[in-house]
Amino acid sequence: MRWRIPKSERLLKVIGSFSIAEKAIFYLVMVIFITSSVVLLWKVNQHFLIEFPARGGELKEGIIGSPRFINPILATNDADRDMTALIYSGLMKSSPEGKLVPDLAESYTVSKDGLIYSFKLKDNVYFHDGRKVTADDVEFTINKTQDSALKSPKRANWDGIKVNKKNDREIEFILKQPYSPFLENTTLGILPKHIWTNFDNDQFSFSLFNIEPIGSGPYKIKTVKKNSYGIPTYYTLTSFNKYALGEPYIKNLIINFYQNEKSLTEDFQGGNIESMNTVSSQNAETLKNEKDLQIVRAPLSRIFGVFFNQNQSPVLMNKEVREALNAAVDKDGIVNEVLNGYGIKINSPMPPELAANSTEPEEQKENADEKIKKASSLLEKGGWKMNAKDKVLEKKTKISTEQLRFAISTANTPELKKVAELIKETWEKLGAKVEVKIFEPGDLNQNIRARKYDALLFGEIIGRDLDLFAFWHSSQRKDPGLNIALYANSKADKLLEDARKIENKSDRMEKYKQFEAEIEKDTPVVFLYSPDFIYIIPAKVRGYSIGQIITPAERFLNVNDWYVNTGKVWKIFAGNRRVE
């Protein structure tokens, strides 16, 4: 049977009766109509489509340094910590927003007295070699961390903590006394016991698994290239499909290592790598107008200041001297001139972004000359007068005459050397004689441990737990304590002891406010600035979230959510879509 459409036959007859000009106009109108309809339908479709992350792609990252211990309990440098963050996972994990969320853990509870922390592992969590993660692995990792023979940098966090394995999925930690920041310790990466139990303490640090590790984190090692000395030059990491928080979207991360910022930057500009961190503010300024780049800035939880050692330099025991030195420093000038604005001035032992109320009281604006005038007035009231011959301020007492002379010790880095010279210039305008002593990092650390310095220009890394005990309690004045100002104040000690026992953050902050008042009164340090963390990343990378940064490795806190590939789906089908 043959189908006929009468109306279409009539339409064809009508068109056939058109003149050539009429046919041309008709067909033109039809083309316009069809094209408009297609465009309209496409726009309607696009309106209902949303973009979603899709798996695949790669990112080439550059890192300064060489990994030696890609091991959560031995990691000592930024390269170690970067790689460890990608390859290992812990019971808990910090989020970019500063909160702690379960990682390998399914849940946890804290006893009412704050002494027992109980964890339950997720049922299906695995290491990269396919073996299941169990409470045995957690217990083994903590025991190794506590082993004094291994000298783990994390040992102090676990000292005195009892580990009690209840079954394959449940484990608890028993504290001697309440310690509110303890939960932060459980972000420690977990080692696979079935691998590391084969190495005794003498072999532990030399194991190949420190360079070719197996963890349970978001990425696992695909390939590693080493130079003729056996030192890794780059890794290819691939996403782990059984990662506890979901397989990362970006399929491959290529991690290249460099000895200094110069070679790192050259390779970046040559296109061999796409992202880099730990770059100077000068480099960031140079690159900020480049297309297809994102310069991510985040507050870095580091406190830089000049710490006074009154035991080493008696002249610094004079309170009016410390107050005058503090009053004279142009902190805004340092942030702008040395950091190019990539930082914030500080007047407190706490990083502004970590404090409960980070907004400082409005200061009276003073220019550099006004600061010098104010500082000079403090010294004059304290009895300091200029020695015209030596061109230095001095103060006479009944038994002696002391001159305002001392040295600033700091590390051999461009930033710190420039800061030291600026401060020296400022303090010499007051009438002080200041010597700047520059040390290589290893030598400076030895001096710090021995407390051999008059004044120390240095930076302290304050953890997210905001525990200031190790930095300021009088019991921490000697190595391995971190009280580099050798500060001693019984009221401050009590405030620090109480603060670390308080679970509620706002209540803890109240103790720290009182502690800040004691520091301000005693002036054991000139607080200077807290720098920004600078991360340069290609525009193609999306989904990242960077908040407060404690160490550079924390830029990877949500690396499993980063993506470079996308797909589209209608909104009604999207939900909480995560492509598998």
Side-chain angles (χ1 to χ4, degrees):
M1 178 181 288
R2 188 173 179 182
W3 294 92
R4 293 186 180 183
I5 306 176
K7 290 183 179 180
S8 63
E9 289 179 351
R10 284 194 218 107
L11 178 61
L12 291 173
K13 287 181 179 179
V14 171
I15 295 171
S17 67
F18 287 170
S19 67
I20 294 176
E22 289 173 332
K23 285 181 180 179
I25 293 172
F26 174 78
Y27 286 125
L28 177 62
V29 170
M30 289 302 296
V31 168
I32 293 172
F33 173 76
I34 293 171
T35 303
S36 299
S37 298
V38 170
V39 170
L40 179 62
L41 288 172
W42 180 82
K43 286 186 175 181
V44 169
N45 184 58
Q46 289 298 110
H47 177 74
F48 288 102
L49 287 175
I50 61 170
E51 199 171 65
F52 63 87
R55 301 205 188 283
E58 68 177 23
L59 175 65
K60 298 176 181 178
E61 173 105 5
I63 293 174
I64 296 176
S66 298
R68 184 182 175 193
F69 298 116
I70 307 176
N71 183 320
I73 71 174
L74 295 180
T76 56
N77 61 42
D78 283 339
D80 289 342
R81 286 186 283 266
D82 285 353
M83 294 296 291
T84 297
L86 293 168
I87 292 171
Y88 286 93
S89 55
L91 292 171
M92 302 290 288
K93 181 176 185 175
S94 296
S95 71
E97 296 74 32
K99 297 180 180 180
L100 288 171
V101 297
D103 194 344
L104 293 173
E106 179 178 279
S107 61
Y108 71 93
T109 59
V110 184
S111 62
K112 289 184 179 180
D113 59 9
L115 296 177
I116 302 175
Y117 287 72
S118 302
F119 287 83
K120 184 175 183 179
L121 289 170
K122 293 173 181 173
D123 187 29
N124 294 308
V125 282
Y126 297 89
F127 289 109
H128 298 155
D129 61 0
R131 294 282 290 270
K132 214 167 187 181
V133 181
T134 70
D136 278 328
D137 301 298
V138 179
E139 180 184 45
F140 174 82
T141 301
I142 305 308
N143 287 340
K144 281 295 183 182
T145 305
Q146 293 174 329
D147 192 333
S148 59
L150 290 181
K151 298 180 180 179
S152 169
K154 299 290 187 181
R155 184 188 169 202
N157 294 345
W158 292 93
D159 193 30
I161 307 296
K162 183 180 177 183
V163 184
N164 179 27
K165 174 199 160 188
K166 301 177 77 173
N167 55 52
D168 281 351
R169 289 183 60 196
E170 295 181 283
I171 195 165
E172 63 183 18
F173 307 110
I174 304 170
L175 284 60
K176 291 182 178 179
Q177 59 185 17
Y179 178 56
S180 57
F182 172 76
L183 202 60
E184 187 77 30
N185 296 349
T186 62
T187 60
L188 179 71
I190 301 303
L191 296 171
K193 180 181 177 181
H194 65 277
I195 289 175
W196 287 98
T197 194
N198 299 315
F199 301 96
D200 60 29
N201 287 341
D202 291 335
Q203 300 171 320
F204 204 87
S205 299
F206 300 100
S207 169
L208 181 64
F209 287 101
N210 286 312
I211 297 299
E212 299 182 19
I214 290 174
S216 55
Y219 282 89
K220 62 181 181 179
I221 292 176
K222 183 177 181 180
T223 59
V224 55
K225 183 179 180 181
K226 303 175 185 177
N227 62 20
S228 58
Y229 298 100
I231 299 173
T233 55
Y234 78 79
Y235 284 84
T236 299
L237 307 181
T238 190
S239 58
F240 181 42
N241 62 1
K242 292 183 179 180
Y243 175 49
L245 297 181
E247 181 183 358
Y249 290 116
I250 299 178
K251 183 63 177 176
N252 294 317
L253 295 183
I254 293 95
I255 310 293
N256 294 265
F257 300 99
Y258 299 87
Q259 292 306 305
N260 51 56
E261 186 178 351
K262 182 176 181 292
S263 58
L264 171 74
T265 306
E266 287 174 352
D267 246 22
F268 178 82
Q269 293 174 328
N272 295 321
I273 57 174
E274 302 169 286
S275 58
M276 58 181 179
N277 77 102
T278 322
V279 296
S280 65
S281 56
Q282 289 85 352
N283 265 335
E285 279 292 286
T286 301
L287 296 169
K288 71 178 183 181
N289 295 320
E290 293 285 333
K291 293 181 179 179
D292 300 323
L293 284 184
Q294 305 172 76
I295 297 183
V296 181
R297 296 171 58 176
L300 190 59
S301 185
R302 294 187 181 179
I303 295 297
F304 281 84
V306 180
F307 298 82
F308 299 131
N309 183 353
Q310 299 172 46
N311 291 0
Q312 177 84 6
S313 178
V315 71
L316 295 173
M317 294 179 68
N318 295 278
K319 187 176 181 181
E320 73 275 5
V321 168
R322 302 194 305 275
E323 290 178 338
L325 295 176
N326 182 49
V329 175
D330 182 9
K331 300 177 184 180
D332 287 314
I334 290 174
V335 170
N336 292 327
E337 187 171 342
V338 180
L339 303 181
N340 293 293
Y342 288 83
I344 184 172
K345 70 175 181 180
I346 57 171
N347 298 300
S348 164
M350 289 190 291
E353 294 295 324
L354 284 182
N357 298 305
S358 60
T359 304
E360 294 185 3
E362 194 67 32
E363 292 182 355
Q364 182 181 353
K365 295 293 183 181
E366 298 174 326
N367 61 38
D369 290 336
E370 289 172 333
K371 289 177 178 292
I372 294 293
K373 186 176 180 180
K374 178 180 178 180
S376 295
S377 177
L378 290 170
L379 291 171
E380 186 178 342
K381 288 178 182 178
W384 292 86
K385 296 180 179 180
M386 180 62 70
N387 181 316
K389 180 181 177 182
D390 295 339
K391 295 183 180 180
V392 62
L393 286 175
E394 63 181 23
K395 181 178 181 179
K396 294 183 178 180
T397 65
K398 293 180 180 179
I399 58 174
S400 66
T401 298
E402 59 181 344
Q403 293 188 334
L404 189 48
R405 296 176 180 269
F406 59 94
I408 302 175
S409 298
T410 195
N412 187 17
T413 67
E415 176 188 301
L416 291 177
K417 286 194 294 184
K418 191 171 182 180
V419 172
E421 289 299 331
L422 286 175
I423 292 174
K424 168 187 165 75
E425 181 182 332
T426 297
W427 286 346
E428 289 193 336
K429 288 179 181 178
L430 288 177
K433 287 293 183 183
V434 182
E435 178 187 1
V436 174
K437 295 182 177 180
I438 305 297
F439 297 90
E440 293 304 320
D443 295 330
L444 183 65
N445 287 337
Q446 289 301 316
N447 286 347
I448 292 173
R449 296 182 68 177
R451 305 300 194 249
K452 290 184 178 180
Y453 46 84
D454 296 342
L456 178 68
L457 172 56
F458 196 66
E460 296 179 334
I461 301 174
I462 311 298
R464 189 174 282 103
D465 54 21
L466 258 185
D467 185 13
L468 301 179
F469 185 93
F471 300 102
W472 294 104
H473 195 275
S474 61
S475 66
Q476 304 299 302
R477 286 177 292 173
K478 293 182 179 180
D479 184 64
L482 301 175
N483 185 350
I484 54 178
L486 282 76
Y487 183 61
N489 176 318
S490 58
K491 183 177 179 180
D493 282 353
K494 183 66 167 61
L495 290 168
L496 291 172
E497 291 163 8
D498 291 344
R500 65 191 340 222
K501 298 176 184 177
I502 299 173
E503 188 72 30
N504 184 278
K505 186 175 180 179
S506 61
D507 292 341
R508 202 185 329 158
M509 283 300 132
E510 191 56 43
K511 294 291 182 183
Y512 281 139
K513 284 181 185 177
Q514 297 175 48
F515 168 72
E516 282 182 299
E518 291 300 307
I519 290 287
E520 184 178 2
K521 180 184 69 176
D522 295 332
T523 321
V525 58
V526 177
F527 295 109
L528 297 173
Y529 60 87
S530 182
D532 285 346
F533 171 75
I534 303 171
Y535 188 33
I536 298 177
I537 193 169
K540 72 175 185 178
V541 176
R542 298 158 68 181
Y544 66 84
S545 178
I546 298 179
Q548 177 75 31
I549 294 287
I550 308 299
T551 65
E554 292 196 351
R555 68 189 183 279
F556 295 129
L557 284 178
N558 78 323
V559 70
N560 55 307
D561 291 327
W562 298 7
Y563 62 95
V564 296
N565 290 351
T566 59
K568 287 189 176 182
V569 67
W570 277 36
K571 291 179 183 179
I572 59 173
F573 299 121
N576 294 321
R577 188 181 182 95
R578 186 174 179 93
V579 180
E580 298 301 330

